[in-house]
Amino acid sequence: DIQMTQSPSSLSASVGDRVTITCRASQSISMYLNWYQQKPGKAPKLLIYAASILQSGVPSRFTGSGSGTDFTLTISSLQPEDFATYYCQQSHNSPLTFGGGTKVEIK
Amino acid sequence: QVQLVQSGAEVKKPGTSVKVSCKASGNSLTELSMHWLRQAPGKGLEWMGGFDPEHGDTIYAQKFQGRVTMTEDTSTDTAYMELTRLRSDDTAVYYCAIAVKRRCFDPWGLGTLVTVSS
């Protein structure tokens, strides 16, 4: 199975901050990497697929990059509604696997 | 736009089974690739399995092989996930979700809480 490792597991940031979350795969997954946002008590929401393609309706302050084993999700200017937990997911091989999540909290 | 409506919360005893439903609206289930995932309380996301259109079959995570069955009733556009021999660590919110664009998931159902407790 492909292991997905996210870092950090949590971070504190202020509104307006630039935030970067990383995700590392245990083997190359090309660009088969997706990012989700989850708020408490809610289902995850797809933000970015294929490493860098913004899902329709997602604000442009979210960007994804990377290929192979190392990927990044960046929020250019953190907004109040962005405080949530973020997950990466590889879709290269079954079983499809997720990172452990990064909780973005208010500083 | 596809919407997924899941069945309500369940409380089950260890050793029994649970069957969760997920009704799709806005598209026929025959046009969708339905998957099931779960999230234990305070934990991350775990993929259980789903329909693989490349092979025309349902694939399951090895962890759940032999305990999970995913079926579809195309007459009602409803998908089902049955998990047997329940244990306390099966307590989780179970989500149905549609796989799109090379197996990312969108949309998701709202989730069904299954509590396994004696």
Side-chain angles (χ1 to χ4, degrees), chain A residues 49-85:
Chain A
Y49 63 95
S52 62
I53 301 175
L54 201 64
Q55 173 68 340
S56 175
V58 174
S60 59
R61 62 181 179 272
F62 291 93
T63 57
S65 64
S67 65
T69 60
D70 294 311
F71 301 87
T72 299
L73 173 69
T74 299
I75 309 172
S76 60
S77 177
L78 200 65
Q79 298 302 299
E81 61 268 30
D82 300 337
F83 291 96
T85 300

Side-chain angles (χ1 to χ4, degrees), chain A residues 77-97:
Chain A
S77 177
L78 200 65
Q79 298 302 299
E81 61 268 30
D82 300 337
F83 291 96
T85 300
Y86 294 84
Y87 292 94
C88 61
Q89 174 236 332
Q90 66 83 16
S91 53
H92 186 263
N93 280 353
S94 292
L96 309 180
T97 48

Side-chain angles (χ1 to χ4, degrees), chain B residues 50-68:
Chain B
F51 184 74
D52 180 359
E54 292 182 18
H55 296 94
D57 202 359
T58 299
I59 57 173
Y60 301 119
Q62 188 170 10
K63 174 178 179 176
F64 300 101
Q65 284 275 2
R67 278 210 307 144
V68 70

Side-chain angles (χ1 to χ4, degrees), chain A residues 10 31 33-34 53 61 81 100:
Chain A
S10 66
M31 298 185 75
L33 190 284
N34 312 303
I53 301 175
R61 62 181 179 272
E81 61 268 30

Side-chain angles (χ1 to χ4, degrees), chain A residues 32 34 36 38 42-44 46 49 55 87 89 91-96 98, chain B residues 35 37 39 43-47 59 61 95 101-106 108-109:
Chain A
Y32 294 112
N34 312 303
Y36 301 85
Q38 187 179 33
K42 301 293 186 183
L46 178 66
Y49 63 95
Q55 173 68 340
Y87 292 94
Q89 174 236 332
S91 53
H92 186 263
N93 280 353
S94 292
L96 309 180
F98 289 82
Chain B
H35 287 242
L37 306 96
Q39 186 171 36
K43 302 296 185 183
L45 296 161
E46 183 173 34
W47 175 77
I59 57 173
Y95 293 102
K101 298 166 186 168
R102 196 59 170 95
R103 298 189 299 182
C104 59
F105 298 112
D106 181 63
W108 296 58

Side-chain angles (χ1 to χ4, degrees), chain B residues 84-95:
Chain B
T84 62
R85 304 194 302 277
L86 290 169
R87 308 184 292 253
S88 58
D89 62 357
D90 290 319
T91 294
V93 175
Y94 288 77
Y95 293 102

